[in-house]
Amino acid sequence: MGRRRQSVTIKHVAADAGVSLQTVSRVINNEPNVRPEMKERVQASIDKLGYVPSIAAQRMSGSRSYLILAINDRERTIADWQGRQGVDWVDQMLLGGMLKCAEYGYRMIFELVDTHNDHVERELRAAIAALQPDGVILTPPHSDNPLIVGLLDQQKIPFARIGSRGGDAGIALTMDDEGSARRATRHLIDLGHKRIGFIPGSPEYSLSRWRIDGWEGEMAAAGLATDGLLAEGDFTYASGAAAARHLLASANPPTAIIASSDQMALATLEVARDLGIDVPGQLSIVSFDNTPVVRFTQPALTAVDQPVAETASRAVELIIAAQRGAPRPTEPTRVQGGLVQRGSTAAPPVAVHG
């Protein structure tokens, strides 16, 4: 039986380079107070020995943990996982966050916290105490939860607030929800639609209001009314079905509907099918999120592409910059998404279009 290969440690690198452990640690942590020639010497030993820095080695300086904690809503995330409905918010968040962390020698840890739980503060304190993260990424609705925001601000931990316009604490980032709703509305107006319905998400999320504002603003700019065209939703399939039935049963139904989640858009498509309404011949549908499932519907859904991965990646960059002493941005960082046009949108029926 062959002898087990001994793993290379920071001590081996220090011995090979003829420097102290602290010097190797400073090179690993990319600290500025290392002479270029010393950095090259240590890096040469790292490359020769095949050393892979561990979090323990990176923590030697005592000032950083090299961990970023990402927090998502427990109830909704578990429901999405159990439903197996193709929702890929968490996948995209981890994709962007983990890859960016790796570029800087950090690791990302993912935790679920219930924003409605009376023990939310205790849960978060426990996670912070156990992990000692260098930064925290909050996602909606945690981003605007005063308990969570207040606690992180009190702890002096750099934190990013995705889906928030911020305030006096944290680093705010948005995915340009208002602008995305405007672009979706403009797409339909350019096709000739005048009665465009809108199904918003849960009012618990600030971004739901921003999307309504974008839709209303673009309709107003085109001189189009919105009376009777807003139907309540909460991101779920069931709420989308109820909202779509309400809109399509009206005396003067819309010729297009924008739904604030893929699940609500799927429900709208199914309701139209049940009512014998052709999509896109009689009704155009635009969705938000652009999760994988919308590509495989009949017809495939036109969708606002939410830049979740890009936003998480930017959040990591801003947290690391803050950890290194950069000032907090005074304005929210906006990451703009796109509109992917597919087969669910077309010009309205000729009788209406005319």
Side-chain angles (χ1 to χ4, degrees):
M1 185 174 180
R3 190 177 70 176
R4 184 179 177 182
R5 183 181 177 185
Q6 183 181 14
S7 61
V8 178
T9 70
I10 190 173
K11 292 181 180 179
H12 295 114
V13 175
D16 186 79
V19 299
S20 68
L21 294 175
Q22 288 74 19
T23 297
V24 177
S25 177
R26 287 197 293 270
V27 171
I28 292 171
N29 295 333
N30 199 28
E31 294 183 12
N33 57 338
V34 181
R35 298 194 310 274
E37 60 270 23
M38 185 61 71
K39 185 174 183 178
E40 290 178 11
R41 182 167 152 190
V42 172
Q43 190 60 53
S45 293
I46 288 174
D47 294 341
K48 182 176 79 172
L49 298 175
Y51 172 67
V52 178
S54 68
I55 290 177
Q58 290 175 308
R59 285 181 170 182
M60 283 188 63
S61 64
S63 60
R64 298 178 190 170
S65 68
Y66 289 86
L67 292 175
I68 290 179
L69 174 63
I71 295 175
N72 215 45
D73 181 57
R74 175 184 288 128
E75 183 179 344
R76 189 172 297 277
T77 301
I78 291 176
D80 289 341
W81 285 343
Q82 290 177 334
R84 303 181 71 177
Q85 296 172 328
V87 179
D88 67 345
W89 166 275
V90 173
D91 292 349
Q92 290 297 307
M93 187 175 69
L94 292 177
L95 170 66
M98 292 177 74
L99 290 181
K100 185 57 65 175
C101 278
E103 286 183 27
Y104 287 90
Y106 281 66
R107 299 291 185 272
M108 176 172 278
I109 303 293
F110 183 72
E111 292 278 336
L112 298 178
V113 173
D114 188 351
T115 195
H116 303 294
N117 196 323
D118 292 338
H119 306 299
V120 61
E121 189 172 357
R122 187 176 67 187
E123 284 185 24
L124 191 53
R125 282 187 185 277
I128 291 171
L131 299 170
Q132 299 181 356
D134 282 341
V136 176
I137 296 176
L138 300 178
T139 58
H142 297 320
S143 306
D144 287 323
N145 184 311
L147 276 176
I148 295 176
V149 170
L151 172 61
L152 293 176
D153 190 41
Q154 182 185 44
Q155 296 271 335
K156 305 300 181 186
I157 299 173
F159 63 101
R161 304 168 64 180
I162 293 177
S164 173
R165 289 178 177 168
D168 296 329
I171 302 164
L173 299 98
T174 75
M175 289 186 280
D176 191 27
D177 292 273
E178 184 173 339
S180 292
R182 278 186 171 273
R183 282 186 289 278
T185 307
R186 171 49 57 186
H187 167 64
L188 293 168
I189 292 171
D190 288 344
L191 288 172
H193 292 275
K194 294 180 172 58
R195 289 190 57 77
I196 301 171
F198 195 88
I199 306 176
S202 168
E204 183 181 9
Y205 293 70
S206 299
L207 57 85
S208 295
R209 180 67 248 178
W210 305 338
R211 293 177 186 180
I212 294 173
D213 291 343
W215 165 69
E216 288 180 334
E218 199 63 29
M219 292 286 280
L224 300 176
T226 57
D227 295 343
L229 291 173
L230 182 68
E232 183 179 346
D234 63 10
F235 295 124
T236 65
Y237 186 96
S239 73
R245 287 190 182 279
H246 173 76
L247 288 171
L248 295 173
S250 65
N252 189 12
T255 60
I257 293 176
I258 301 171
S260 281
S261 76
D262 286 341
Q263 289 300 308
M264 295 195 299
L266 290 171
T268 301
L269 182 61
E270 185 63 26
V271 167
R273 188 172 290 125
D274 288 346
L275 296 176
I277 298 172
D278 180 67
V279 176
Q282 295 171 288
L283 177 70
S284 287
I285 300 173
V286 177
S287 180
F288 262 83
D289 293 336
N290 196 36
T291 53
V293 69
V294 301
R295 298 177 231 165
F296 306 111
T297 58
Q298 291 295 327
L301 289 173
T302 293
V304 170
D305 188 50
Q306 290 281 85
V308 179
E310 294 88 342
T311 306
S313 176
R314 188 72 183 116
V316 168
E317 288 181 328
L318 291 168
I319 286 172
I320 292 174
Q323 179 72 17
R324 295 177 176 178
R328 185 175 74 94
T330 56
E331 296 293 328
T333 296
R334 185 178 66 182
V335 183
Q336 185 172 308
L339 181 69
V340 181
Q341 297 181 33
R342 299 191 180 97
S344 68
T345 53
V350 175
V352 178
H353 185 56

